[in-house]
Amino acid sequence: MLHVNSISKTYHSKPALSDISLYVHAGESIGIIGESGSGKSTLGKIILGLEKPDQGDVHFRGSNLHTLKGQALKAFRRHLQIVFQDPAGSLNPKLPVWKSVVEPLENYPDVIPSFLKEVRHDRKKMAEVLFQKVGLSPELLERYPHQLSGGQKQRIAVARGISLEPDLLVCDEPTSSLDVSVQAQVLNLLKKLQRDLNLSFLFISHDIAAVQFMCERIVVLKDGILVDAFLTNELFSASRHPYTKMLVEMSMEQDR
Amino acid sequence: MNVQVPRINRIPFFFKNQNLMTSCGLLFFIIITFITIIGPFIIPNEPFTANMAERLAPPSSAYPLGTDHMGRCIFSRLIVGAQSTLGITALVVVTVALIGIPIGLVIGYIGGRMDTLFMRIADGILALPEFILAIAIAGFLGPSLTNLMISIVFVKWIAYTRVVRSIVITERNKDYVLAAKVGGSSNWKIIRRHMFPQIVSPVLVLATLDIGKVILTISSLSYLGLGAQPPAPEWGAMLNDGRPYFQSAPELMIYPGLAIFFVVLAFNLMGEGLRDKWDVKSR
C-alpha cells in the first residue's frame, strides 16, 4: 500500500534522513523506533506529504505522493491521517473540540465513513459518534482544549485522525506526553480501532514496549539511518543490530 | 538588620483597582456614545449660526458654557463636535483594521516574498515619525476631513499588520495547523478558521488603546487647520478657533480640551483593562 523509496532529507546541511526505504501493507502496523533526533518525526511528515524529501519518493497505492498537487493531493490526503505527540498543541485552543474533530469531514463532503452513514448530514451528530468511538462522553463536545485532560485531548486527536476512515494513521509518539496510567488506555484504544476499522499504523515512538504491543514489524532509526528492520517477535533474537540490543536493554532497565 | 520597608499606601484606592478603572472607562464610553448619538436632538442652541451680538457671553441658562468668539453656543458645538471627532475616529479605526488585519493574516501565513515586500514598505513608512508623515500627507492632499482620514489610515495600518503578522507567524507552525492541513483544509480555511480567532483579542486591545491616539491625531491635525473646516464644530478645530482669544477668554480652549482629555482617558482606561483581562503581552 505504502512504499517509501530511498528517501533523504537534509536540514541546514545536516542530514536528517539518509536513504530510508520501507513499506506498509494494508492493515499492517509498522513501528518506527529511535531516540529523539533520529529523524522519526521527519519521516512521518514526509509520508504525510507535509514535507518534501530531497531525494527519493513516497508511493501510496501506486501514486507518487510528492508530485501530486491541488485536488489530487487532497484526494490522497484523506487516506493518510495523523495523531500528533502533544495533544495540547494539536487542537486549536480557541475552538470547541467537536469542531476540530469534524473539520476533516467538512473538507471531504463526498467521503462517507462506514460508521457515520446515518449521521453524515449533521456535524454535531458525527462528532458525537466519533466521541463514542474513542470512549468519550458527548458532554465534552462543547469543551475547549484547556478544559480537558491530556488523555481526553489525545482521544479527541485520535477521533479526528480516524474521522475520514483513513487507510493509514501515522501516530507520532501518541503516548509520550501522557501519564503512564493513561498511556495504556490510549494504546488499547488504538489497538481496538485498528481491529474495528482495519487501519494500518505507522507507529513512531521511542517506547519499545508500546511499539511491541502495537506493531507487527519494527524498523529502527539512528541518526537518520535505518539500522535494523525485523518482525516484532524477533525483537530479542541474537541477530539484532547492536544498537537495537542497546535500546532494548535500556528500556528493560527503566522498567526495573 | 531590620530594614524599614516604606509603605506605599499613598496611592488612592481608585488607581490601584484596575477593575474599577476599567469600569469607569466603560461607563464613560457608554455615556459619550449616548450623548454622541442623541446629541443633535438635545442641544439647546443652533451650533453653526454666528450671532455677533452675543459673542463671548458668560455661562447663562440660555448658553450653559457661554458663547464663543462668533456668539455660538459652546455647549451645543461641543456635543455636535463629538459626532465628527468620534465618528471620524471610529471610521478611521475600522478602516485601519479592515486593511491591516487581512494583510497581516495573509503575509504572515504565506510568508516569503509577499511578506518581505510588505514589511519593507512598512519599514519605509515607519522610518518617518507617524505624526509628521500624517501632517505631510494631509497637507499634500489638501485640508478636508476625508484627506485627514486617508492620511491617518495610511500611517496606522502598519501597526495592525505587524501585530497580526507576528501572531500568525508563531501560530502557523503549530501542530493544530498541520493537523488541519492533513485533514484537507485549504489555506484560506486555515486562515479563517484557525488564524483569525487567535488575533481577535489582541487586535481589540490594540484598537481600543489606539482610539485615544487617533482622537488626538485628528484633533491635532484639525487644530493645525488640516481637518474639519469652519464652521464645522470638531474639537480640535474648536481649539484652533479659540486660540486667538486664549488670554481674554481661555474657556474657548479649556472646554474642548477637557472633552478631548476625558474621552482619550476613557478609552485608555478601557484598553488597559482589556489588555489585562486578556493577558495580551505589550508589544
Side-chain angles (χ1 to χ4, degrees):
Chain A
M1 182 174 68
L2 178 85
H3 285 267
V4 176
N5 300 322
S6 35
I7 275 183
S8 299
K9 175 87 184 170
T10 307
Y11 281 123
H12 309 296
S13 71
K14 266 190 180 160
L17 290 173
S18 40
D19 202 24
I20 304 279
S21 297
L22 57 90
Y23 61 91
V24 185
H25 294 311
E28 189 187 30
S29 291
I30 309 298
I32 299 178
I33 300 183
E35 293 172 304
S36 25
S38 61
K40 306 178 302 246
S41 293
T42 308
L43 181 58
K45 282 183 181 160
I46 288 175
I47 286 171
L48 288 163
L50 289 173
E51 304 221 6
K52 272 195 177 0
D54 298 336
Q55 272 150 37
D57 47 47
V58 177
H59 283 263
F60 182 78
R61 292 190 164 169
S63 293
N64 186 339
L65 203 60
H66 294 280
T67 56
L68 294 173
K69 281 204 175 83
Q71 286 302 311
L73 177 64
K74 194 181 164 189
F76 262 88
R77 278 257 168 88
R78 90 152 259 227
H79 300 293
L80 302 167
Q81 292 296 311
I82 184 163
V83 175
F84 285 101
Q85 168 177 6
D86 175 18
S90 72
L91 298 169
N92 187 338
K94 305 263 168 155
L95 285 183
V97 288
W98 73 272
K99 287 199 174 165
S100 295
V101 169
V102 295
E103 184 170 348
L105 289 158
E106 290 166 9
N107 298 329
Y108 294 90
D110 302 336
V111 174
I112 302 175
S114 58
F115 47 89
L116 293 174
K117 266 190 194 122
E118 287 85 31
V119 292
R120 187 63 179 93
H121 54 280
D122 187 337
R123 295 197 303 157
K124 204 71 178 270
K125 290 245 171 66
M126 290 195 289
E128 242 180 85
V129 174
L130 283 164
F131 265 52
Q132 266 167 25
K133 269 210 134 6
V134 296
L136 286 176
S137 150
E139 284 165 22
L140 305 179
L141 285 168
E142 293 287 351
R143 298 272 182 94
Y144 286 85
H146 65 91
Q147 297 168 314
L148 298 169
S149 72
Q152 287 170 329
K153 276 183 272 194
Q154 196 59 301
R155 281 169 191 264
I156 287 162
V158 171
R160 174 175 59 193
I162 61 161
S163 62
L164 293 169
E165 209 174 16
D167 295 327
L168 179 76
L169 189 61
V170 175
C171 300
D172 188 356
E173 308 237 18
T175 56
S176 57
S177 67
L178 304 176
D179 293 341
V180 180
S181 57
V182 184
Q183 283 184 5
Q185 292 172 16
V186 171
L187 288 178
N188 281 324
L189 170 71
L190 288 170
K191 190 94 177 172
K192 177 177 162 289
L193 289 171
Q194 183 191 20
R195 251 182 280 122
D196 292 355
L197 304 173
N198 193 28
L199 276 172
S200 287
F201 277 131
L202 197 73
F203 197 90
I204 300 169
S205 183
H206 60 257
D207 180 354
I208 292 186
V211 171
Q212 199 187 350
F213 174 71
M214 293 296 300
C215 304
E216 288 115 58
R217 279 193 295 125
I218 297 175
V219 299
V220 180
L221 286 189
K222 181 179 188 263
D223 303 331
I225 299 165
L226 200 156
V227 293
D228 208 356
F230 49 89
L231 294 171
T232 303
N233 53 23
E234 295 167 0
L235 178 60
F236 302 104
S237 134
S239 56
R240 288 282 63 80
H241 187 276
Y243 182 67
T244 313
K245 285 182 183 164
M246 194 191 88
L247 287 178
V248 170
E249 269 168 35
M250 271 163 53
S251 81
M252 301 261 219
E253 262 165 44
Q254 273 172 13
D255 286 348
R256 210 172 290 147
Chain B
M1 202 175 80
N2 195 5
V3 181
Q4 190 77 30
V5 182
R7 291 176 60 194
I8 317 173
N9 253 352
R10 300 258 168 81
I11 308 168
F13 174 71
F14 177 80
F15 295 105
K16 283 196 293 190
N17 189 330
Q18 183 69 57
N19 274 334
L20 194 62
M21 285 168 67
T22 313
S23 310
C24 283
L26 189 68
L27 184 71
F28 205 73
F29 166 71
I30 293 169
I31 294 172
I32 293 165
T33 315
F34 186 67
I35 292 178
T36 309
I37 292 168
I38 65 155
F41 306 108
I42 58 157
I43 48 172
N45 296 290
E46 213 283 319
F48 299 107
T49 324
N51 176 8
M52 293 316 254
E54 296 275 359
R55 73 192 293 264
L56 298 176
S60 62
S61 54
Y63 302 109
L65 296 177
T67 60
D68 67 1
H69 60 290
M70 311 260 291
R72 298 170 298 196
C73 171
I74 295 180
F75 182 70
S76 307
R77 283 177 68 76
L78 271 185
I79 286 182
V80 175
Q83 247 177 5
S84 34
T85 306
L86 298 178
I88 297 163
T89 304
L91 206 58
V92 164
V93 171
V94 168
T95 314
V96 162
L98 286 182
I99 294 173
I101 292 172
I103 295 179
L105 282 171
V106 170
I107 65 175
Y109 187 74
I110 294 174
R113 277 189 201 165
M114 277 271 281
D115 186 29
T116 317
L117 174 71
F118 271 95
M119 281 300 105
R120 291 301 81 79
I121 293 175
D123 288 345
I125 297 174
L126 285 179
L128 301 160
E130 209 173 79
F131 187 62
I132 307 279
L133 189 60
I135 292 177
I137 296 167
F140 175 74
L141 293 173
S144 84
L145 272 181
T146 321
N147 293 340
L148 172 80
M149 279 159 49
I150 293 174
S151 68
I152 299 176
V153 169
F154 184 80
V155 296
K156 278 270 176 214
W157 65 274
I158 304 159
Y160 291 73
T161 299
R162 287 174 85 100
V163 166
V164 170
R165 172 181 172 271
S166 74
I167 296 170
V168 172
I169 284 176
T170 54
E171 293 291 324
R172 71 169 179 210
N173 290 323
K174 292 202 173 156
D175 281 350
Y176 71 84
V177 177
L178 286 182
K181 264 187 207 166
V182 173
S185 296
S186 61
N187 287 338
W188 167 233
K189 181 172 182 180
I190 292 174
I191 289 179
R192 216 177 27 164
R193 162 76 74 84
H194 294 288
M195 295 293 110
F196 187 70
Q198 317 293 338
I199 62 148
V200 173
S201 38
V203 165
L204 270 181
V205 171
L206 178 67
T208 319
L209 285 172
D210 228 22
I211 287 175
K213 283 189 216 154
V214 172
I215 293 173
L216 286 178
T217 312
I218 291 174
S219 302
S220 311
L221 288 175
S222 289
Y223 176 76
L224 295 176
L226 290 168
Q229 296 305 303
E234 199 278 334
W235 291 347
M238 286 170 75
L239 277 179
N240 191 23
D241 290 345
R243 191 171 36 86
Y245 306 90
F246 182 56
Q247 302 230 321
S248 53
E251 66 273 15
L252 260 54
M253 292 186 82
I254 289 172
Y255 294 132
L258 282 178
I260 295 170
F261 172 78
F262 278 111
V263 171
V264 172
L265 184 68
F267 278 105
N268 283 353
L269 287 178
M270 247 173 42
E272 302 260 341
L274 287 180
R275 188 170 64 191
D276 289 355
K277 185 168 184 285
W278 283 325
D279 194 28
V280 181
K281 315 256 178 326
S282 359
R283 287 162 210 279

